[in-house]
Amino acid sequence: MTTTLQQELIAAIRNIPDYPKPGIMFRDITTLLGNPRAFRRSVDELVHPYAGTKIDKVAGMEARGFILGGAVAHQLSSGFVPIRKKGKLPHETVRIAYSLEYGVDEMEVHKDAIQPGEKVILVDDLIATGGTAEGAVKLLQQIGADIVAACFIIDLPELGGRKKLEALGVDVRALVEFEGH
């Protein structure tokens, strides 16, 4: 990926200081999503390494991962699997608890969303501490997914999320990095 593309994507992301609490710089991708060129280039760049390979499913984490994951799945001619918060899916589910900065939450997928051995890419907007992404990887592996990669627009490397996923043997791709929280 070129420096120019990275600069374009960084310029399309809104920075909101002290949200959701003092000392946090929130990286808001809604401005990137609203910018047709930046949105298209982000999706194209997320898809590029996997174009022409067999990816069975793209899994996206609620909620921005639905937007990005759906677009990536479309480009790859793959199915899409939503990873939802507990209680949001109507059919038989598999659930996992995962750690957050402020406690524990649960997410789930439909039990039949992925067949054992299917090649899956996990997509979300940002990886920070990695608790949610790590939970999603473990949940997908629990139902038999072969995780090809976890892809994000933004990585906050100082928070260590990438390392958590790499420790699980998952290739991690991020389009841009920001220092700090």
Side-chain angles (χ1 to χ4, degrees):
M1 186 166 52
T2 66
T3 303
T4 306
L5 176 56
Q6 289 177 331
Q7 291 168 338
E8 180 182 336
L9 298 182
I10 288 169
I13 297 167
R14 178 176 22 218
N15 298 304
I16 302 173
D18 299 321
Y19 183 84
K21 61 183 184 180
I24 301 293
M25 179 65 74
F26 187 80
R27 309 301 178 169
D28 178 18
I29 69 154
T30 61
T31 48
L32 181 144
L33 297 173
N35 176 324
R37 179 176 165 86
F39 182 37
R40 175 62 187 223
R41 292 192 78 190
S42 295
V43 172
D44 287 349
E45 192 62 32
L46 290 172
V47 166
H48 179 73
Y50 314 103
T53 63
K54 175 83 169 111
I55 302 298
D56 298 297
K57 304 279 173 62
V58 174
M61 294 181 280
E62 192 166 345
R64 290 172 296 275
F66 291 179
I67 299 163
L68 296 167
V72 169
H74 172 76
Q75 293 276 32
L76 291 172
S77 297
S78 302
F80 178 75
V81 176
I83 300 174
R84 306 266 346 239
K85 293 177 182 170
K86 178 182 170 185
K88 300 288 185 181
L89 292 171
H91 192 56
E92 194 175 350
T93 62
V94 176
R95 181 178 306 144
I96 193 167
Y98 63 99
S99 297
L100 297 167
E101 234 178 277
Y102 49 85
V104 175
D105 206 349
E106 292 180 279
M107 67 179 101
E108 57 191 14
V109 295
H110 280 133
K111 189 175 187 176
D112 60 359
I114 294 169
Q115 300 305 307
E118 284 190 315
K119 295 191 176 307
V120 177
I121 295 174
L122 178 66
V123 176
D124 204 4
D125 64 323
L126 178 140
I127 185 159
T129 62
T132 306
E134 180 183 35
V137 165
K138 289 178 178 177
L139 179 62
L140 293 168
Q141 288 173 335
Q142 185 178 332
I143 60 172
D146 175 6
I147 310 290
V148 173
C151 301
F152 307 90
I153 292 179
I154 301 168
D155 182 10
L156 303 177
E158 292 173 32
L159 298 179
R162 172 188 287 267
K163 289 180 182 171
K164 284 182 184 176
L165 296 186
E166 290 172 341
L168 294 173
V170 175
D171 180 41
V172 178
R173 243 178 87 56
L175 304 183
V176 297
E177 293 182 354
F178 286 96
E179 292 181 9
H181 296 103

